[in-house]
Amino acid sequence: MFAELNSILNSSPESFKQGEFILVSDRQTDASFLIHHFLSFYLRGCKVCFLGLVQSFSHYSAVSQRLGVSLNQAREKGQLVFLEGLKESLGVLLQGDTSNGTPALDFLRDPSSGLRGLYDFVHGNIRGSEGRAEDWGPPVLMVDDLSVVLSLGVSVGAVLDFSHYCRATFCSELQGTMVILVRCEAEEEEEESDEGSERLQRGLTHQCSLTLQVQGLPTGYCRDIHGEVEVCWRGRCDGLQIQRKLFQYKVCDKGTLFFARGTSSAVL
């Protein structure tokens, strides 16, 4: 958990906005450090449903351990529900009998079916824990990263439908939180496509209330500053930008440092 980022967002594990949809995106760099921050942040008091579509559980566990949170303990006591996409997908793809496997990943067999199975997994796990709601704060859904399903044949429209229904459940009905990471392709790679990550990012931006866009430095590589984070607060109803701030950051072994743009001596 990064104290400087908490200060920027005016939040703490004891006091944070409910009903928030946070969209994290990156371009030609890696915004995973923000996912690790939010995971350790919300596990200090909330029940978390984490859809890990690109990394193993052990990867997140090792990073969270350095941030002072044990994912194993959280999962054992029912506070963390973790879908390990890489591991589960092997069972789905290698399963000769389509009646077996994980329904949450049905889109691997038939991308045209959309993400209904994934939503049912999320909905079922959160609804199944309502009897213990007094143990934790509002539920949190985290996805790393949602854009990967586009490369598996799922349409942008189906992904936006998934996020819309999840937002209705988590943010509106349960007053919980969503944190979703998407990766944007380089402009020259994506071209003019109606099914690319750029369109997905634009669609999710209209749904969210807070965006954190991570990108490399426009001046190129720097040893002391790793990139920039643009933070935009948006209206929850219309998605229009209300406030925007730009920060530079440096990822360290046990945290991340943030600087208001122009205040670091490393980059002018």
Side-chain angles (χ1 to χ4, degrees):
M1 187 174 65
F2 311 143
E4 291 180 356
L5 182 57
N6 288 343
S7 178
I8 291 171
L9 301 180
N10 191 28
S11 63
S12 70
E14 296 77 30
S15 176
F16 56 87
K17 288 184 180 179
Q18 297 185 13
E20 193 100 290
F21 178 2
I22 303 172
L23 176 64
V24 178
S25 63
D26 61 32
R27 183 190 301 278
Q28 297 180 309
T29 189
D30 187 2
S32 297
F33 67 95
L34 291 176
I35 291 298
H36 295 301
H37 160 77
F38 285 117
L39 179 58
S40 63
F41 177 92
Y42 287 113
L43 278 178
R44 296 178 188 273
C46 299
K47 170 153 188 176
V48 177
C49 180
F50 193 102
L51 307 182
L53 304 180
V54 295
Q55 295 285 359
S56 65
F57 176 82
S58 60
H59 167 79
Y60 298 103
S61 180
V63 178
S64 295
Q65 197 74 41
R66 293 202 300 268
L67 297 177
V69 174
S70 172
L71 298 194
N72 285 307
Q73 290 182 5
R75 188 160 67 169
E76 288 172 1
K77 65 183 181 181
Q79 185 185 6
L80 172 65
V81 175
F82 192 99
L83 175 66
E84 193 165 358
L86 292 177
K87 180 179 179 181
E88 297 292 343
S89 63
L90 290 177
V92 174
L93 294 173
L94 298 178
Q95 192 61 248
D97 182 358
T98 57
S99 64
N100 295 324
T102 304
L105 301 180
D106 278 348
F107 63 88
L108 292 174
R109 301 190 186 99
D110 180 14
S112 64
S113 65
L115 300 179
R116 177 59 185 267
L118 196 59
Y119 172 77
D120 288 343
F121 171 85
V122 170
H123 186 269
N125 276 282
I126 291 302
R127 288 303 190 191
S129 66
E130 283 187 315
R132 298 186 60 190
E134 69 278 1
D135 294 342
W136 303 296
V140 177
L141 171 65
M142 298 187 63
V143 187
D144 179 16
D145 79 75
L146 190 56
S147 56
V148 74
V149 301
L150 299 180
S151 64
L152 300 172
V154 180
S155 69
V156 170
V159 180
L160 292 176
D161 286 344
F162 169 77
S163 65
H164 169 77
Y165 285 112
C166 287
R167 184 181 67 155
T169 299
F170 278 83
C171 303
S172 299
E173 183 180 349
L174 301 176
Q175 284 298 293
T177 303
M178 285 172 53
V179 182
I180 291 179
L181 170 66
V182 295
R183 301 190 185 282
C184 297
E185 301 293 339
E187 294 179 2
E188 61 270 18
E189 295 177 4
E190 185 150 319
E191 302 177 348
E192 294 294 329
S193 173
D194 290 335
E195 293 300 324
S197 57
E198 291 285 353
R199 184 189 166 205
L200 175 60
Q201 183 196 25
R202 290 195 298 270
L204 292 173
T205 297
H206 287 296
Q207 296 182 10
C208 73
S209 54
L210 174 65
T211 63
L212 292 91
Q213 297 177 293
V214 182
Q215 59 187 10
L217 292 171
T219 54
Y221 172 78
C222 176
R223 183 183 63 182
D224 297 317
I225 299 294
H226 294 157
E228 295 182 340
V229 180
E230 181 183 79
V231 183
C232 294
W233 290 265
R234 299 179 177 275
R236 297 192 180 188
C237 297
D238 52 23
L240 297 178
Q241 180 176 304
I242 297 175
Q243 186 180 12
R244 171 182 174 274
K245 293 184 179 180
L246 189 61
F247 300 89
Q248 294 170 340
Y249 70 90
K250 178 181 180 180
V251 178
C252 305
D253 185 48
K254 293 187 177 181
T256 300
L257 303 177
F258 292 86
F259 314 91
R261 187 178 183 183
T263 61
S264 171
S265 59
V267 178
L268 299 178

